[in-house]
């Protein structure tokens, strides 16, 4: 009888997951530089399949893929979910069909018929393995020493690309928040404010399903609805960040909580209106002079908590 796949969880899963969240890369559209990276990995290792896999809460999502049709798979059937348990170590499985951990997985017994697997965990500077660069073959085999060195090097390059993505994201957040400009200090106390971070979920999959133009039209209409909740005369503002589907709103004054609630209400209506699911993270300044970046980081952490709660809710609703 085939084993029932189970989810493998690192000891520091919460910290690992929130480290991935801070990169804001899951569900972003395809980018040629990542596609090139997996092509190089497949060529150097002599495999028909190569993937840049990010391990999210309940799935592995492929930022780039070669030789595999799926954009993502459930986490509990992902070989890469085992690889991240050893952040600094290359993982190599000569024959998946002969390894009891993997013999019953869909990638082995299904259409792909995978047999060989090797991966290098993509590990942040503070030691969190957020994904892998992996290669897969349909016949049992081993990498030679030079191929192992190449895969390790390419894994480090992948992490460098993700770090650069995170820096670009932060730069655009600073532009959205207005912290790129150094305002003249104002006398007297400043009013409290709130920051809301609104993120469309599974953006890349929706773009592939509905087309970029249709999704962009829906996002523009959504942004207009968000803007209608704001009080520009009070200094409120909202900006879209990067080419992703995220918005950052700054809500001024103690009555900003009501406008944050209005944004949350709009977000809650979006699945029925546009088919887009939106999560909202929010945070309030501890005092009027607190820096925007510090409050943004708390809003980002709150968004991670919303994702945790959404996953828990989905698990409770799942049959069995």
């Amino acid at each position: 009888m085939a084993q029932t796949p189970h989810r493998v969880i690192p000891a520091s899963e919460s910290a690992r997951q929130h480290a991935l969240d801070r990169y804001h890369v899951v569900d972003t559209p395809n980018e040629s530089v990542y596609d090139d990276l997996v092509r190089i990995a497949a060529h150097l290792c002599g495999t028909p399949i190569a993937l840049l896999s990010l391990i999210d809460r309940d799935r592995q999502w492929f930022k780039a893929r070669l030789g595999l049709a799926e954009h993502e798979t459930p986490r509990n059937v992902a070989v890469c979910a085992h690889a991240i348990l050893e952040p600094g170590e290359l993982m190599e499985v000569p024959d998946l069909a002969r390894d009891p951990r993997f013999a019953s997985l869909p990638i082995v017994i299904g259409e792909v018929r995978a047999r060989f697997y090797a991966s290098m965990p993509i590990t942040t500077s503070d030691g969190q393995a957020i994904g892998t660069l992996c290669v897969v073959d349909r016949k049992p085999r081993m990498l030679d020493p030079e191929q192992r060195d190449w895969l390790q090097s390419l894994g480090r390059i992948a992490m460098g690309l993700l770090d650069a993505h995170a820096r670009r994201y932060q730069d655009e957040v600073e532009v959205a928040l207005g912290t790129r400009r150094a305002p003249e200090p104002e006398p007297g106390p400043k009013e409290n404010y709130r920051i809301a971070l609104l993120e469309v979920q599974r953006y890349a999959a929706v773009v592939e399903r509905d087309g970029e133009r249709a999704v962009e039209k829906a996002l523009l209409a959504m942004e207009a609805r968000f803007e209608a909740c704001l009080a520009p005369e009070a200094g409120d503002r909202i900006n879209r960040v990067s080419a992703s589907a995220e918005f950052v709103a700054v809500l001024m004054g103690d009555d900003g909580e009501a406008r944050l609630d209005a944004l949350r209400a709009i977000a809650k209506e979006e699945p029925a209106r546009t088919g887009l699911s939106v999560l909202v993270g929010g945070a309030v300044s501890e005092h009027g002079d607190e820096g925007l970046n510090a409050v943004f980081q708390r809003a980002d952490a709150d968004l991670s908590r919303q994702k945790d709660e959404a996953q828990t809710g989905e698990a409770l609703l799942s049959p069995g």
Side-chain angles (χ1 to χ4, degrees):
M1 180 179 295
Q3 291 181 328
T4 301
H6 63 282
R7 187 175 173 207
V8 181
I9 304 176
S12 57
E13 172 60 12
S14 178
R16 190 206 67 80
Q17 179 63 63
H18 293 169
L20 174 60
D21 288 346
R22 287 193 293 273
Y23 277 81
H24 291 266
V25 68
V26 173
D27 288 322
T28 55
N30 290 348
E31 297 177 66
S32 60
V33 66
Y34 296 97
D35 294 336
D36 290 343
L37 187 69
V38 297
R39 288 179 59 207
I40 292 169
H43 174 73
L44 292 172
C45 295
T47 62
I49 299 170
L51 307 163
L52 179 54
S53 170
L54 299 173
I55 304 301
D56 202 10
R57 287 167 174 79
D58 58 355
R59 56 178 170 152
Q60 67 169 351
W61 179 80
F62 305 126
K63 176 60 179 169
R65 67 197 194 282
L66 176 70
L68 195 68
E70 292 85 355
H71 292 276
E72 62 182 64
T73 68
R75 179 171 174 171
N76 67 340
V77 297
V79 183
C80 293
H82 292 257
I84 64 171
L85 298 176
E86 298 291 341
E89 302 295 327
L90 187 145
M91 176 177 170
E92 189 169 8
V93 184
D95 190 346
L96 294 164
R98 292 182 176 274
D99 190 313
R101 296 173 297 174
F102 311 121
S104 64
L105 296 185
I107 196 172
V108 180
I109 64 175
E111 183 178 344
V112 177
R113 295 289 173 183
R115 298 294 294 273
F116 167 74
Y117 169 93
S119 71
M120 185 62 198
I122 300 169
T123 306
T124 65
S125 59
D126 59 351
Q128 300 295 344
I130 59 176
T132 75
L133 179 65
C134 72
V135 292
V136 177
D137 208 338
R138 295 187 175 91
K139 59 180 183 292
R141 52 168 293 193
M142 293 282 287
L143 297 179
D144 63 37
E146 186 175 19
Q147 289 172 326
R148 292 189 190 97
D149 287 344
W150 276 119
L151 190 56
Q152 290 172 322
S153 296
L154 292 173
R156 290 190 291 270
I157 291 172
M159 189 69 254
L161 291 173
L162 293 174
D163 283 335
H165 173 93
R167 288 192 294 271
R168 289 195 304 273
Y169 175 85
Q170 188 58 40
D171 286 345
E172 294 188 19
V173 165
E174 291 178 6
V175 171
L177 294 174
T179 54
R180 284 270 164 167
R181 300 185 300 272
E184 293 294 325
E186 299 177 6
K190 299 177 182 177
E191 59 184 348
N192 281 337
Y193 63 90
R194 285 161 178 78
I195 289 179
L197 180 57
L198 305 101
E199 182 182 273
V200 173
Q201 304 300 290
R202 301 183 185 266
Y203 172 59
V206 174
V207 169
E208 177 147 328
R209 183 192 69 198
D210 298 341
E212 187 174 357
R213 291 184 64 181
V215 175
E216 188 63 26
K217 183 177 179 181
L219 288 173
L220 288 171
M222 183 192 303
E223 185 173 14
R225 287 188 286 274
F226 289 153
E227 287 179 340
C229 298
L230 273 55
E233 69 280 2
D236 289 0
R237 57 188 183 274
I238 188 167
N239 291 281
R240 186 166 167 187
V241 178
S242 182
S244 65
E246 298 181 35
F247 301 89
V248 177
V250 180
L251 311 171
M252 302 302 297
D254 290 332
D255 58 348
E257 185 66 27
R259 298 195 292 282
L260 178 55
D261 288 342
L263 289 174
R264 290 191 175 109
I266 293 293
K268 191 174 182 179
E269 296 168 357
E270 288 304 321
R273 181 183 282 120
T274 62
L276 300 175
S277 177
V278 182
L279 290 181
V280 183
V284 61
S285 61
E286 295 179 353
H287 50 79
D289 290 314
E290 186 177 14
L292 285 160
N293 282 327
V295 183
F296 174 84
Q297 294 303 323
R298 292 205 298 278
D300 199 17
D302 184 55
L303 180 63
S304 284
R305 286 191 289 272
Q306 304 303 319
K307 293 177 181 178
D308 291 341
E309 292 174 7
Q311 183 211 352
T312 301
E314 289 172 3
L316 290 174
L317 292 173
S318 296

